[in-house]
Amino acid sequence: MTPTRVTVQGAKPYDVVIGRNLLGELPGLLGERVRRVLVMHPASLAATGESIREDLLAQGYEAFAVELPDAEEQKTAQVAAFCWQVLGQSDFTRSDAIVSVGGGATTDLAGFVAATWLRGITVVHVPTTLLGMVDAAVGGKTGINTAEGKNLVGAFHPPAGVLCDLAALETLDRWDLVAGMAEVVKTGFIADPRILELVEEHHEELREWRGAQTTAETWAVVAELVERSIVVKARVVGEDLTEQGLREILNYGHTFGHAIELNERYQWRHGAAVAVGMVFVAELARLAGKLSDDVVARHRDILTSLGLPTSYRGDRWEQLLAAMRRDKKSRGDLLRFVVLDDVAKPVRLEGPDPTLLVAAYAEVSKEPPTGRPGVTVALG
Ligand SMILES: NC(=O)c1ccc[n+]([C@@H]2O[C@H](COP(=O)([O-])OP(=O)(O)OC[C@H]3O[C@@H](n4cnc5c(N)ncnc54)[C@H](O)[C@@H]3O)[C@@H](O)[C@H]2O)c1
């Protein structure tokens, strides 16, 4: 498979390379000045991290590695401080670099450490989850959590490059693949109808993700979905790095989704919460007279076909509303949503009539969430 390259524009343009067996691309992305590299990976990806470190050693770099706690456990100030200690003790200078190997939690933490060490050193991301490839690793948002909430501390620090080796998805848990698909579907609804068609045609193989046993045809579909999603994200963040305008469209479904995540104390996967969030804003747009019944039904059909939830319990409105008001995307008291006029026609809806919000909530809490037993548990 010949690698595909997507360039993200901005003050320092960089490439996202998508394909297989991409390690040979790493030096080109790191640039000529780098001598020392710290490979950061969670324990679950020790073998991949070590083979990348050995490859870098063989290519003449001084290469070190740190093993991180898994998932959200690594996105803490304590883990960041440990990484700063390793960088300090290994004499990392402004011209050295970090390579992150892992899901979105790892690219967020490693990006944050790179943003803060000596006020910013080079980072190259090697995302290993679908969500990491299509979302977290591209765009330069980095961050860690605090006791008060998720992603409250962070920096915009675009990488020098991103390597999406699709082979990493072979070992990915089925529900991590499906949760990542929620962001792919989001990208389809806001910007690329072909993504929606591909998911409609291939939802069964995607939902029943079989990792290394995946057929060549399905791999081709996954590659196209990853590429198309990255093209959209690259275009959006290339125009608006710091979320002043266009980048807001990437938050489609996220305001309500974040409220669910908070209400569920982060026991739901992000993608599952965003799936319900998309149905909520689709209903909101329909009730506001913007979106047709057909496109709302298409949201439910596609997400359900992947095994993603489309409804939420009906007794949490006050908590969800309070969480949406506190969401960092809100401005003051005014609730803001990205909604659709049609597929690929996102618009902003500011301060919608509260009765519409309640009615949209009623629509997403109509179906019993236990309609497909085990789904929310499996996605948790
Ligand atoms: N910066 C951004 O723009 C942005 C965007 C979206 C999400 N995020 C962040 O991304 C994080 C979620 O990302 P995620 O879903 O990738 O979670 P994650 O990084 O926690 O990975 C999920 C799980 O998959 C495991 N894993 C990773 N790669 C694997 C592989 N190839 N095979 C088998 N297991 C593997 C991990 O060890 C982990 O247990 C959140 O912290 C979220 O805040 C950031």
Side-chain angles (χ1 to χ4, degrees):
M1 174 184 179
T2 324
T4 308
R5 266 165 213 283
V6 179
T7 303
V8 184
Q9 301 299 340
K12 280 192 188 165
Y14 59 94
D15 278 354
V16 182
V17 188
I18 306 146
R20 277 174 179 265
N21 304 319
L22 299 177
L23 275 193
E25 301 274 345
L26 201 43
L29 296 182
L30 285 168
E32 281 170 9
R33 290 163 60 219
V34 172
R35 286 184 42 237
R36 290 186 191 83
V37 182
L38 180 65
V39 179
M40 296 174 60
H41 62 81
S44 61
L45 292 164
T48 314
E50 185 51 23
S51 71
I52 291 177
R53 192 184 75 86
E54 281 172 9
D55 203 71
L56 288 165
L57 275 177
Q59 304 203 43
Y61 294 94
E62 266 184 68
F64 306 80
V66 277
E67 193 165 289
L68 306 163
D70 198 42
E72 294 299 306
E73 298 276 299
Q74 68 197 277
K75 283 179 64 173
T76 67
Q78 287 79 1
V79 174
F82 173 73
C83 298
W84 293 323
Q85 197 181 351
V86 173
L87 291 167
Q89 290 175 356
S90 313
D91 297 323
F92 269 62
T93 69
R94 275 249 168 96
S95 55
D96 295 323
I98 288 173
V99 170
S100 73
V101 183
T106 305
T107 58
D108 269 10
L109 168 78
F112 177 68
V113 171
T116 43
W117 182 250
L118 302 177
R119 300 195 180 84
I121 63 170
T122 298
V123 63
V124 170
H125 295 308
V126 183
T128 59
T129 61
L130 183 59
L131 183 72
M133 292 181 191
V134 300
D135 198 357
V138 181
K141 276 213 265 180
T142 74
I144 57 172
N145 308 325
T146 76
E148 286 67 38
K150 269 193 70 172
N151 298 324
L152 289 180
V153 176
F156 288 102
H157 185 63
V162 181
L163 281 189
C164 298
D165 192 331
L166 298 174
L169 303 179
E170 285 178 5
T171 51
L172 199 62
D173 176 84
R174 176 182 159 214
W175 289 110
D176 279 316
L177 193 285
V178 166
M181 283 303 301
E183 296 288 353
V184 172
V185 169
K186 174 203 78 180
T187 310
F189 274 115
I190 59 172
D192 183 354
R194 180 66 191 139
I195 287 181
L196 301 180
E197 290 165 11
L198 282 166
V199 176
E200 282 164 339
E201 287 159 22
H202 299 277
H203 60 89
E204 273 170 38
E205 305 100 278
L206 295 167
R207 187 186 59 218
E208 304 301 332
W209 183 243
R210 290 188 295 138
Q213 268 72 54
T214 302
T215 61
E217 193 199 354
T218 305
W219 274 118
V221 172
V222 170
E224 185 170 352
L225 289 171
V226 170
E227 281 167 32
R228 285 182 171 275
S229 302
I230 290 174
V231 164
V232 171
K233 179 134 194 203
R235 179 171 60 77
V236 172
V237 302
E239 277 183 43
D240 175 24
L241 174 68
T242 55
E243 246 169 17
Q244 303 300 309
L246 182 66
R247 192 162 178 161
E248 258 189 295
I249 68 170
L250 299 171
N251 294 327
Y252 187 62
H254 280 58
T255 305
F256 193 78
H258 284 153
I260 292 181
E261 283 186 283
L262 186 67
N263 196 53
E264 293 295 329
R265 296 176 201 280
Y266 298 99
Q267 296 308 300
W268 271 41
R269 279 187 174 79
H270 176 68
V274 168
V276 182
M278 285 191 275
V279 179
F280 174 81
V281 279
E283 287 289 1
L284 186 61
R286 182 180 67 79
L287 292 160
K290 289 173 171 296
L291 195 60
S292 71
D293 292 355
D294 288 355
V295 181
V296 180
R298 202 173 178 197
H299 279 71
R300 284 204 172 82
D301 290 348
I302 292 179
L303 295 166
T304 307
S305 76
L306 289 167
L308 285 160
T310 53
S311 60
Y312 190 62
R313 56 192 293 174
D315 58 351
R316 283 292 181 272
W317 180 237
E318 276 173 29
Q319 293 89 330
L320 294 169
L321 184 61
M324 288 196 287
R325 288 200 191 289
R326 279 202 308 272
D327 194 86
K328 58 183 182 294
K329 272 96 195 178
S330 297
R331 305 278 193 279
D333 262 356
L334 206 59
L335 280 178
R336 289 148 69 96
F337 296 91
V338 176
V339 295
L340 299 180
D341 275 345
D342 199 350
V343 173
K345 292 208 174 109
V347 288
R348 188 183 296 149
L349 184 66
E350 270 188 358
D353 186 329
T355 57
L356 292 188
L357 291 170
V358 173
Y361 177 56
E363 292 299 328
V364 289
S365 50
K366 249 185 201 166
E367 314 157 39
T370 49
R372 292 178 308 286
V375 161
T376 52
V377 175
L379 285 167

